[in-house]
Every structure is written in C-alpha cells, then in structure tokens.
Amino acid sequence: MRIAGVVVGALVVTLGVQPAYAGELPGVTASAETAPNWDDDAGGNANADDPAIWIDTRHPERSVVLGTLKNGGLTVFDLTGKEVQRFDTPPPPAPGQEPGRFNNVDLVGNLAVVTDRGRDQLRTYAVKSGRLTDVTSADAPLVFSKDTEEVQEQRTAYGLAATTLHGQPIVAVTRRSETRVGFFKLVPDGKGKVTYRPIGKVDLPSSFTLSDGSTWTPCEEPGDRPQLEGMVFDRTTNDLYAAQEDVGVWRIPLHGKPQLLEKVREFGQPAAYDEETEECAPTGPVSPDAGKHLSADAEGLTIAYKHGVRTLYASSQGDSMFASYRITGHRLSYRSGFRVTDGSRTDGVQHSDGAAVTTQPLGPLFPHGLFAVHDGENTPGDGDREGTNFKLVRLEKLP
C-alpha cells in the first residue's frame, strides 16, 4: 500500500458553468425510523450522526443498523427502528479531560469500528448474530494526537471508512478541523482484543487555484482548515471516496494522486466568517468554477452495487437533498437528485450527515435493499429540544 507520505498541493480546476439551483426534486418517504434522540442533559446529549448496515447472511430480515449518537454513544436497532443495544461512550481518562464522543461508524467483515473524536481513538466491536461485543484494546493508541494534552484541542479522529485489503481490515480516518486522512490496519493486541497501527496518510489541499488564476481558500472558523468527514471505500477498486465538506468529493486511490471529482456549489465563492453568527457568509458572486449538484456541506457517502453498476450516493447537507452518481472508471456521472420527504409514517430528512446503503434483500420490510440516513431535524420536536434520528428507506423508492 504505497500511500504513506503523499501530500497533494493546490489543484488547478477546470472552468465550469454554474447552473441555477435545482428546482423540485423527486421525493421519497421512509418506511421506518428510530426513536428521537435529544441533545441535552436529560437526553444523555445524544445527537445522531452516522449509520452502518450489518447484514445477517443467514437471516437477512434479522439484519441490524448501527448509528453513532456522539456523546450518547452507539445505538444498534432492527429494521423496524427499534433499539436492541446501546453502548455508552467511555468516561474522561482524567479529571478535566474530554469524555468519549462517537462520530462515525463503519463495518469490515464482522467488526464494527467507531471514531471516538472525544478521546482520539478507534473503538472496535465484534458482531455476531446482530449482537455487538466491545473488543477495543485497553492499549489502543491515540489516532492523531501526540499526547492527551493535544487531545483536548479536539483535532481528533472524525470521519471513517473501512475495507479489506489483501485479507487485512483497513480503515481510513479523517482528522477534525484538518485536511488529513490517515490509514490504519486493525490488528490483534495479543490479549484477545483489537488495536490498530498507522500505515499511511494523505493531506488534501486547503487552497485551490481557480480558472482565472486566483487562489481560493474555503471560509472556515478561525484556525480551522477545510475538513473531511463522509467517506466510503469502493470495494471493487479499493479507491476511497471522501467528502471535503466545503470543497467537494475526492477520489483517493491507493496508488497515485487524489482527484477532485465533484465540487460544491460554493466552490470558489468568496466568503467571510461572522463571529456573531459563527457562520460564513458570501462576500462575492458565485464562481464559474463552482459545482452543480451539492451544497456545502458535502457529507455522507455510500456506494450501491448491482449488476456490475456502482452508484455513489452523497448527502448535500446545505439544501437537505441527496445526489446519486454513476461511477465509471475514474469519473462520477451525475444521475439524479432526491429528497426524503414527510410521509404517513415518518417525517422527512434535513441536513443529513451520514448514509449507508445495501442492495441485499432484507426480508419483507426491505425486499430490494435499504437506504439508511441520518436526519438532522427530526420532528415533531419537544419544545426547544434538538431532536435527531435515523430514517430507513426502501431502496426501490430511490430514483
């Protein structure tokens, strides 16, 4: 795996034409959803984020979905949305230090891996018959930080994707508030648990050369760089697809240089950070180099495989829609956009972070496959409480 030490400089992007924003898009409804999670003390500071689907090959209808809840831990729920297990985050290692905060989850074989952004570690769970057992090594190292003092700065393990390479479980992990993607191999710790070792890294650009020769840097909170979170490995090529939130979607091959394949609509547009609102506001016109189909943040990525066709789904968090692309060679071809809208059983999806998909039939509830997504604004709410959850959509409903 010749990936260590690769650093990509500023990328020259080609001229594009900025279209109008998409009008009415097809709407699909979810068939099931989880209970609401509340991001306050009474709700355990649970804030849904990222799902992953574990398939029971003998009894597909007994498959389960995993979901991270940040400070609320890790939830496991069945195909009706009913929770069957919950794992708490670990406490702070010492007084005054950060507790665990689970951000992203993915599966490799019968291992579930979670990024603990609070403590800058990976946590690992063995999955058997839809039940999880924590097999995280007590000696698991810090992912990016040099010591526990640096962990408190919270430039820690963030996004996650997993695959198998030459029979070895491999995970890609992004660093919060940075442009780095680290690669790690899961290994036994010799004590019956699982740990990990770094095997490489890629640093993506934080500034870009536009077609008029100027340099553009995405607007971020002071001190931050344009981070990545949503990622997925293409299991047919082992290429990693990674969403740099304010930039677009990258293809990162194990050999060769990363390619920026799809840009967000805000790409190239000048903006400034507003201290009062803690948001970036445009200060200039839309760039001719901008993308057409995603509104920042570009978030959850997942790939569906069927009859030799690979379809990449991407969450367009800024306008609460999803975009689908055909993967052909080293290119992405836009197919369609859609929204998950209110239905008779569930509400719609807004500002989605994470997504997971399978084309495997999962029994009578999802006979053609499942599209599981995070909902950043679950309704009905409860006064001023911030509610989130996960929605389960029949795959055949997607356009």
Side-chain angles (χ1 to χ4, degrees):
M1 187 173 186
R2 298 188 316 230
I3 201 164
V6 176
V7 178
V8 184
L11 214 68
V12 177
V13 297
T14 56
L15 179 66
V17 177
Q18 171 66 18
Y21 276 66
E24 290 299 318
L25 292 171
V28 302
T29 58
S31 297
E33 65 179 333
T34 63
N37 303 283
W38 306 107
D39 192 15
D40 54 24
D41 289 343
N45 298 302
N47 189 348
D49 193 300
D50 187 48
I53 303 167
W54 179 84
I55 298 172
D56 188 324
T57 55
R58 295 184 60 187
H59 303 283
E61 72 280 1
R62 300 179 189 174
S63 300
V64 295
V65 183
L66 287 59
T68 53
L69 301 177
K70 295 182 180 167
N71 289 76
L74 178 70
T75 180
V76 183
F77 51 94
D78 65 19
L79 298 182
T80 70
K82 178 184 177 181
E83 184 173 85
V84 296
Q85 270 186 298
R86 173 79 73 91
F87 292 87
D88 292 334
T89 58
Q97 295 187 356
E98 290 288 334
R101 183 173 171 86
F102 291 173
N103 206 70
N104 279 35
V105 60
D106 202 1
L107 289 149
V108 55
N110 285 324
L111 287 177
V113 188
V114 174
T115 48
D116 183 346
R117 67 187 256 195
R119 294 183 53 170
D120 197 23
Q121 291 180 313
L122 303 181
R123 300 201 65 83
T124 311
Y125 302 83
V127 189
K128 184 177 181 180
S129 300
R131 301 291 294 182
L132 274 63
T133 303
D134 192 340
V135 293
T136 306
S137 173
D139 302 320
L142 300 178
V143 176
F144 292 113
S145 307
K146 66 178 183 292
D147 53 34
T148 54
E149 183 177 346
E150 187 176 353
V151 172
Q152 308 319 303
E153 299 175 10
Q154 289 296 283
R155 293 179 182 266
T156 49
Y158 200 58
L160 178 87
T163 191
T164 301
L165 183 65
H166 307 309
Q168 293 286 330
I170 304 296
V171 294
V173 184
T174 70
R175 187 173 192 182
R176 184 172 179 266
S177 302
E178 298 287 351
T179 63
R180 174 159 294 181
V181 182
F183 295 83
F184 300 82
K185 178 169 64 174
L186 302 182
V187 295
D189 71 349
K191 303 174 185 178
K193 303 292 185 178
V194 178
T195 187
Y196 42 90
R197 298 173 184 163
I199 57 174
K201 62 180 183 292
V202 169
D203 289 318
L204 293 176
S206 58
S207 296
F208 300 84
T209 302
L210 303 180
S211 56
D212 63 3
S214 64
T215 299
W216 173 74
T217 300
C219 174
E220 305 291 342
E221 187 173 338
D224 285 357
R225 289 153 61 85
Q227 68 185 13
L228 303 95
E229 184 176 6
M231 296 190 296
V232 63
F233 277 103
D234 184 340
R235 71 186 188 200
T236 64
T237 63
N238 283 317
D239 290 345
L240 177 69
Y241 290 85
Q244 192 170 15
E245 295 176 351
D246 296 322
V247 177
V249 178
W250 293 83
R251 169 185 166 267
I252 303 176
L254 298 183
H255 309 286
K257 292 184 177 182
Q259 297 173 282
L260 183 58
L261 301 183
E262 178 76 337
K263 294 169 284 186
V264 297
R265 294 186 177 104
E266 295 81 1
F267 187 95
Q269 184 175 25
Y273 184 76
D274 187 321
E275 293 283 355
E276 185 172 331
T277 64
E278 297 183 343
E279 298 287 346
C280 288
T283 58
V286 170
S287 169
D289 294 332
K292 301 177 181 180
H293 308 296
L294 297 177
S295 289
D297 294 345
E299 287 283 353
L301 302 181
T302 187
I303 298 175
Y305 306 86
K306 190 169 185 179
H307 305 313
V309 175
R310 294 167 292 162
T311 303
L312 175 76
Y313 294 99
S315 171
S316 177
Q317 192 180 74
D319 58 359
S320 297
M321 55 83 67
F322 297 87
S324 66
Y325 302 85
R326 185 68 46 81
I327 301 175
T328 306
H330 296 161
R331 297 184 300 108
L332 294 180
S333 301
Y334 178 75
R335 293 180 64 248
S336 63
F338 62 93
R339 303 183 190 278
V340 180
T341 56
D342 292 347
S344 59
R345 297 182 181 181
T346 66
D347 62 301
V349 169
Q350 289 79 39
H351 308 303
S352 182
D353 270 342
V357 68
T358 180
T359 58
Q360 171 77 36
L362 300 181
L365 294 179
F366 298 94
H368 301 282
L370 168 64
F371 185 62
V373 294
H374 156 258
D375 178 11
E377 294 180 16
N378 181 58
T379 57
D382 182 11
D384 294 331
R385 303 178 82 192
E386 179 182 344
T388 59
N389 73 345
F390 297 98
K391 300 293 196 286
L392 304 180
V393 182
R394 285 191 172 198
L395 187 60
E396 69 270 22
K397 288 187 176 183
L398 304 191

